[in-house]
Amino acid sequence: MLRQGAGTLQLVSHGFVNAEQARGFATLKDISIRLKSVKNIQKITKSMKMVAAAKYAKAERDLKGARAYGVGAKAFFDNIDPVAEDTATPKEESKKQVLVLITSDRGLCGAVHTSIVKEAKLILNNAGDKDIRVVAIGDKSRAGLQRLFAKHLLVSGNEIGRAPPTFADASIAAKAVLDSGFDFETGHIIFNKFKSVVSYETSKLPILPLEAIKAKEALTTYDSVDDDVLQSYSEYSLAQLIYYAMKESATSEQSSRMTAMDGASKNAGEMIDKLTLAFNRTRQAVITRELIEIISGAACV
Amino acid sequence: MLARTIQRFSAVAQRGYAAAAAAPVKNANPEELRLTFASPDTAVFSNAVVKQVDVPTLAGMVGVLANHVPTIGVLKPGVVAVTTNEGTVQRLFVSSGTLSVNIDGSCQVLAEEVLKIEDIDESAARAELESAQKASGEGSEVARAEAQIRAEVAEALIKAATNQQ
């Protein structure tokens, strides 16, 4: 069934191969062109790996400070909302949710962006009657959701991923979330938590808007909390959390890109080996054929 | 290092008791003040035990010792002074950010910028103050407010730099 579906496509490629074979197998010229292009590709992937390695080293260094910052920002929310950590599903009652997806504009880095989009799609598919909106940071998350969930997109931003994320970037994102006019009851930041060079974990970070913080019982134990302070605090916290998520995601992305480009370079190397072998064989075959032609020509005389 | 691991073990033990009391206490000894003092790219203190922290907030200067009542606040430009357990005082300039003293006894000072006092360039701060004061009289409301904030930061920078000498 499936074969029939792709029938025409296969036929075309078959015809192409036959035409090639009618002319004889790949000539020396063909192979050398191919070889050269694969070598160029390897050069590119190798240098991309080097660049990613340098960026990764910097990102990881930065992450140490950012992690203390992010964990600190999270501490207040863990304290006033101790349930959120144990069970991730007490959000039945909150109808309006916001998801902040932290990706970047750049591809060629394995599955970092896809895993975030996948997570978001899973939540959106199981939304039921909940109103879930998405803030897509980075082109990759927007592109991933545009086709199926375009009406859920609230704000999207790009121009992120070239340089390491800064606090200013996070502030812009936080402001966009707050100014979007969507008064959400709860929210999550979805990002890739960096674990090691070869692994990351797609995680969620809860965010609470001002109203939700005010509603928490534990807040009463806090001293001298007035509305003004609380508002500034909640806005600032959002920026801090987004900043932390951006840093984690950026580090995961660079490390993942490093691994992906390493794999690509290795694959290109394998192709180069095979093509070199084919090239040498063909060359030898050409020489042999020419010799035979000369000898048999001489024998005839 | 060893002390830290011991602390962590005791944290695990305490969590068992705390769960029974339904308190959100999950970290060690509440008799200690554990400070996290960080800027976005560097952590000056990361969950370190200190004696006292003095923080400039919008509601005035706040001194935090161990067993402080939980509170939150918003930083204003000024000098954060941290007294370590050995009694040495470390003074750093912060521009803005948040302060939170939590139920579990931890204290977070998260600033947008952290600067060592000896790194402050006083003449640059004065120039900044002048240009900000000039700008605060003109433009839209947002621009004026921004200029005022700049002036406030510059003033605090100058104050911090001159107090030290």
Side-chain angles (χ1 to χ4, degrees):
Chain A
M1 265 306 184
L2 201 79
R3 262 175 184 271
Q4 268 182 348
T8 47
L9 204 100
Q10 262 188 347
L11 213 68
V12 169
S13 65
H14 240 97
F16 183 67
V17 171
N18 279 341
E20 281 277 283
Q21 273 173 352
R23 239 196 294 147
F25 48 91
T27 59
L28 271 181
K29 182 87 176 162
D30 290 338
I31 296 177
S32 72
I33 289 171
R34 189 82 204 283
L35 191 59
K36 197 161 186 201
S37 93
V38 176
K39 270 183 183 162
N40 281 339
I41 291 171
Q42 196 196 27
K43 265 183 213 158
I44 293 169
T45 56
K46 249 187 190 163
S47 56
M48 274 184 87
K49 186 197 156 196
M50 301 288 245
V51 171
K55 281 191 177 169
Y56 160 73
K58 188 175 181 301
E60 207 212 354
R61 224 176 23 242
D62 285 356
L63 185 64
K64 274 190 195 120
R67 210 168 244 178
Y69 201 68
V71 169
K74 234 178 78 182
F76 172 70
F77 294 100
D78 289 348
N79 267 289
I80 63 160
D81 195 11
V83 205
E85 262 215 335
D86 308 333
T87 52
T89 50
K91 55 193 175 193
E92 297 304 327
E93 74 279 8
S94 56
K95 285 259 186 281
K96 287 179 156 187
Q97 294 185 24
V98 71
L99 294 177
V100 183
L101 310 185
I102 312 280
T103 61
S104 84
D105 293 352
R106 299 264 167 128
L108 292 179
C109 50
V112 274
H113 301 321
T114 336
S115 64
I116 287 180
V117 172
K118 231 188 220 168
E119 182 82 29
K121 276 185 176 165
L122 187 73
I123 295 171
L124 287 167
N125 278 327
N126 299 328
D129 60 341
K130 278 175 271 181
D131 185 11
I132 303 179
R133 298 296 177 90
V134 176
V135 175
I137 299 173
D139 272 343
K140 289 288 163 187
S141 58
R142 190 177 54 90
L145 290 173
Q146 208 166 28
R147 190 182 289 248
L148 289 172
F149 299 101
K151 63 178 193 300
H152 291 273
L153 282 174
L154 191 64
V155 192
S156 63
N158 56 1
E159 273 306 304
I160 181 155
R162 193 164 303 158
T166 61
F167 196 77
D169 293 330
S171 307
I172 293 167
K175 197 166 178 335
V177 173
L178 292 167
D179 291 351
S180 63
F182 179 66
D183 47 342
F184 54 96
E185 287 159 27
T186 53
H188 289 281
I189 300 174
I190 304 180
F191 67 106
N192 286 315
K193 194 173 163 70
F194 174 74
K195 278 161 81 180
S196 71
V197 187
V198 287
S199 75
Y200 56 87
E201 185 182 18
T202 308
S203 353
K204 286 193 277 185
L205 203 61
I207 48 177
L208 290 171
L210 184 58
E211 295 303 320
I213 296 176
K214 272 185 194 163
K216 293 281 177 244
E217 263 173 54
L219 193 69
T220 49
T221 52
Y222 281 76
D223 186 35
S224 71
V225 176
D226 56 37
D227 283 1
D228 225 22
V229 168
L230 202 59
Q231 190 184 355
S232 307
Y233 189 90
S234 71
E235 283 171 7
Y236 212 97
S237 292
L238 183 62
Q240 287 168 344
L241 291 173
I242 289 177
Y243 172 77
Y244 166 61
M246 275 178 169
K247 278 287 181 202
E248 290 270 5
S249 261
T251 315
S252 309
E253 186 191 320
Q254 294 305 349
S255 75
S256 177
R257 175 169 293 133
M258 216 163 76
T259 325
M261 286 302 118
D262 192 37
S265 305
K266 265 185 200 148
N267 288 343
E270 264 172 39
M271 273 180 88
I272 289 170
D273 285 349
K274 273 184 195 158
L275 283 170
T276 320
L277 195 68
F279 181 79
N280 289 341
R281 278 214 181 121
T282 317
R283 196 189 54 193
Q284 198 56 53
V286 169
I287 294 168
T288 315
R289 203 178 61 214
E290 278 173 5
L291 273 177
I292 291 170
E293 275 166 13
I294 293 165
I295 292 165
S296 45
C300 279
V301 180
Chain B
M1 204 50 196
L2 190 68
R4 194 171 286 173
T5 42
I6 288 168
Q7 218 174 37
R8 217 171 275 160
F9 276 125
S10 64
V12 172
Q14 267 212 332
R15 200 186 300 186
Y17 294 123
V25 179
K26 58 169 189 175
N27 277 315
N29 207 347
E31 299 301 313
E32 286 170 339
L33 176 64
R34 279 169 302 103
L35 172 72
T36 300
F37 179 16
S39 75
D41 42 88
T42 48
V44 187
F45 290 92
S46 179
N47 222 7
V49 176
V50 296
K51 205 173 189 180
Q52 186 186 348
V53 202
D54 294 317
V55 188
T57 70
L58 289 181
M61 209 59 188
V62 177
V64 181
L65 286 161
N67 262 330
H68 191 280
V69 65
T71 185
I72 57 172
V74 182
L75 303 188
K76 74 172 183 192
V79 177
V80 171
V82 181
T83 315
T84 59
N85 272 348
E86 289 83 46
T88 53
V89 180
Q90 204 170 339
R91 292 157 57 82
L92 293 146
F93 181 85
V94 294
S95 63
S96 61
T98 59
L99 157 78
S100 56
V101 183
N102 286 314
I103 302 168
D104 64 6
S106 61
C107 171
Q108 284 92 31
V109 181
L110 305 174
E112 206 171 332
E113 297 270 352
V114 174
L115 194 63
K116 278 185 193 153
I117 289 195
E118 51 276 21
D119 292 346
I120 296 174
D121 185 347
E122 203 187 323
S123 54
R126 276 189 205 285
E128 169 75 9
L129 177 62
E130 233 166 77
S131 80
Q133 273 170 344
K134 232 179 265 167
S136 66
E138 59 206 39
S140 65
E141 205 170 307
V142 177
R144 276 208 303 262
E146 272 174 9
Q148 250 164 26
I149 293 170
R150 268 171 58 206
E152 203 183 316
V153 174
E155 234 170 88
L157 271 169
I158 294 164
K159 219 192 252 175
T162 45
N163 270 5
Q164 200 227 0
Q165 285 157 2

